[in-house]
């Protein structure tokens, strides 16, 4: 596997063992290639992770090996990497790593971390998100181009309701993510409510192309606005994260004028460093903005009052939430016998 090497980042030295271990056989990318990639995009991925509780998606033997999600900070983590104490929907809690230096990303790469999954909160206040994250997820029969069309209409919805501005990125697969920096004033439940309002408005405007239906049997060949990605403990891969697919794609931040021009296949572990060297982090100004959710929450109130549109189902592992409808897929609900009076 070759002798260990040492990499520099922000004045710290990180030791990388087995640098020649192949992590992506299809492309020949090694563990050292992965670490050097994160070194090359260091300012960008640190901007996406800084002070955020972060789950590590680890592939110690490469993309074809066993993998796991590490939520709790490892016992061998250096003391210069801080943590935040977070609580899961189950009521259990953990201390998660919160990168504050580029070297923390290299340290995680040493242990086979391909993808970083940051919470939408900062360690100063882990109960109030500072990002509204919107996930446009292509369903069978749809593709990235369909997500692009939905993203452009989503941009218009955000502008109309509160003058919000979103920063788009590829998911690293077929989908698109749009992140909106918000004031950390609202709870996870309220931010999720705002995401539902966005999804419903987008569905009204593009009923044949977009859905917010939670049950797969109801979605059809449409783009699903995955509102539950805003629920507590649900995370989205960070910008610049490498995704665990054979060709080593990355989640690429985009300018709006690139949405529909660039394609996810354009961005991978081999190509992103050159783009970053030329353009820098095209989302570098995200943290200069903070928007209000008041207009979206008012839209949610009108949806409920005028149209009877209340809450939507949570993921199956969540405890039953106040106001949540029955968590049973429609086809099964139809088969259940009526309750005796």
């Amino acid at each position: 596997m070759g002798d260990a090497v040492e990499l520099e980042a922000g004045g710290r030295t990180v030791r990388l063992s087995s640098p020649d271990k192949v992590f992506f056989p299809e492309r020949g990318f090694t563990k050292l290639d992965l670490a050097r990639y994160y070194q090359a995009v260091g300012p960008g991925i640190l901007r996406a992770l800084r002070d955020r509780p972060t789950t590590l998606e680890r592939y110690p033997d490469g993309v074809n090996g066993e993998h796991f999600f590490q939520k709790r900070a490892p016992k061998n983590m250096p003391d210069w990497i801080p943590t935040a104490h977070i609580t899961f929907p189950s009521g259990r809690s953990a201390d998660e790593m919160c990168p504050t230096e580029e070297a923390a990303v290299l340290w995680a790469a040493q242990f086979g971390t391909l993808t970083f999954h940051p919470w939408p909160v900062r360690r100063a206040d882990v109960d109030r998100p500072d990002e509204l994250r919107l996930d446009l997820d292509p369903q069978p029969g749809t593709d990235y181009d369909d997500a692009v069309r939905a993203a452009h209409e989503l941009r218009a919805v955000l502008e109309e309701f509160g003058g919000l501005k979103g920063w788009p990125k590829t998911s690293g697969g077929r989908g698109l993510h749009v992140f909106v920096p918000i004031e950390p004033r609202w709870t996870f439940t309220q931010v999720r409510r705002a995401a539902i309002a966005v999804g419903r408005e987008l569905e009204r405007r593009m009923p044949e192309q977009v859905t917010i239906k939670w049950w797969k049997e109801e979605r059809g060949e449409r783009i699903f606005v995955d509102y539950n990605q805003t629920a507590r403990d649900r995370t989205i891969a960070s910008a610049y994260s490498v995704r665990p697919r054979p060709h080593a794609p990355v989640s690429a931040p985009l300018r709006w004028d690139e949405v529909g021009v660039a394609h996810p296949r354009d961005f991978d572990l081999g190509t992103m460093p050159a783009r970053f060297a030329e353009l820098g982090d095209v989302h570098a100004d995200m943290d200069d903005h903070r928007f209000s959710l008041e207009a979206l929450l008012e839209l949610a109130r009108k949806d409920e009052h005028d149209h009877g549109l209340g809450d939507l189902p949570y993921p199956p592992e969540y405890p039953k939430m106040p106001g949540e409808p029955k968590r049973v897929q429609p086809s099964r609900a139809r088969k259940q016998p009526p309750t005796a009076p």
Side-chain angles (χ1 to χ4, degrees):
M1 295 299 178
D3 296 332
V5 298
E6 292 185 339
L7 300 177
E8 299 291 330
R12 295 194 187 275
T13 300
V14 177
R15 183 178 183 274
L16 196 76
S17 63
S18 305
D20 298 331
K21 180 185 284 189
V22 177
F23 270 27
F24 292 90
E26 183 178 293
R27 302 290 302 278
F29 293 136
T30 64
K31 183 179 180 180
L32 180 59
D33 292 326
L34 175 70
R36 283 182 171 159
Y37 163 77
Y38 280 127
Q39 198 175 29
V41 300
I45 192 165
L46 181 60
R47 188 267 312 155
L49 300 178
R50 188 188 300 276
D51 283 322
R52 298 190 183 280
T54 300
T55 297
L56 308 179
E57 187 176 356
R58 292 177 54 187
Y59 287 75
D61 294 313
V63 71
N64 293 335
E66 296 293 326
H67 75 282
F68 58 96
F69 290 85
Q70 180 147 12
K71 295 188 176 184
R72 288 171 171 77
K75 292 182 179 179
N76 63 341
M77 192 173 72
D79 58 11
W80 49 266
I81 301 178
T83 62
H85 193 73
I86 48 91
T87 303
F88 304 117
S90 65
R92 301 177 67 184
S93 61
D95 294 320
E96 286 202 351
M97 73 176 292
C98 294
T100 56
E101 303 179 38
E102 294 173 29
V105 178
L106 295 186
W107 177 85
Q110 149 64 14
F111 294 97
T113 300
L114 298 188
T115 307
F116 295 82
H117 296 268
W119 282 47
V121 300
R122 310 278 182 167
R123 60 191 173 112
D125 187 349
V126 296
D127 293 316
R128 297 188 183 276
D130 68 347
E131 285 181 346
L132 169 64
R133 297 175 174 179
L134 300 163
D135 181 8
L136 301 176
D137 185 11
Q139 301 302 290
T142 64
D143 56 21
Y144 179 74
D145 290 337
D146 296 301
V148 164
R149 285 187 280 273
H152 284 298
E153 188 62 36
L154 171 61
R155 186 185 187 189
V157 170
L158 293 173
E159 174 62 33
E160 184 173 332
F161 291 92
L164 307 182
K165 179 182 177 183
W167 278 255
K169 69 182 184 72
T170 67
S171 67
R174 299 188 306 138
L176 273 166
H177 302 149
V178 178
F179 285 11
V180 180
I182 60 175
E183 300 166 4
R185 294 168 45 197
W186 296 277
T187 65
F188 278 94
T189 301
Q190 291 170 312
V191 174
R192 178 178 174 274
R193 185 173 174 83
I196 291 173
V198 170
R200 283 177 168 150
E201 180 64 22
L202 193 59
E203 186 180 54
R204 281 190 284 265
R205 297 184 183 199
M206 305 179 70
E208 301 301 319
Q209 294 83 37
V210 172
T211 182
I212 198 169
K213 299 291 186 183
W214 174 247
W215 303 107
K216 291 182 179 180
E217 65 186 30
E218 295 186 305
R219 294 178 191 170
E221 296 183 359
R222 292 180 286 182
I223 298 298
F224 171 50
V225 182
D226 191 353
Y227 61 90
N228 269 330
Q229 289 296 80
T230 54
R232 179 185 287 273
D233 193 34
R234 293 294 281 254
T235 57
I236 293 178
S238 77
Y240 300 103
S241 273
V242 178
R243 306 312 310 275
R245 294 181 175 86
H247 63 289
V250 304
S251 181
L254 300 175
R255 302 185 304 258
W256 275 109
D257 62 6
E258 295 178 301
V259 176
V261 177
H263 191 275
R265 278 274 180 173
D266 298 336
F267 310 107
D268 61 35
L269 191 151
T271 62
M272 181 56 84
R275 171 180 167 88
F276 195 89
E278 178 184 359
L279 301 178
D281 179 14
V282 297
H283 286 187
D285 64 335
M286 267 189 70
D287 288 341
D288 297 336
H289 302 267
R290 284 288 176 265
F291 296 98
S292 171
L293 291 181
E294 290 295 350
L296 287 178
L297 292 174
E298 178 60 24
L299 175 62
R301 285 189 285 271
K302 288 182 178 179
D303 279 343
E304 185 164 15
H305 182 269
D306 298 345
H307 306 291
L309 299 174
D311 203 356
L312 292 173
Y314 274 78
E317 70 273 16
Y318 280 63
K320 183 69 175 177
M321 300 295 287
E324 181 188 2
K326 287 184 177 180
R327 201 181 296 176
V328 57
Q329 64 191 69
S331 59
R332 290 187 178 181
R334 288 192 292 270
K335 295 176 183 177
Q336 292 177 351
T339 304

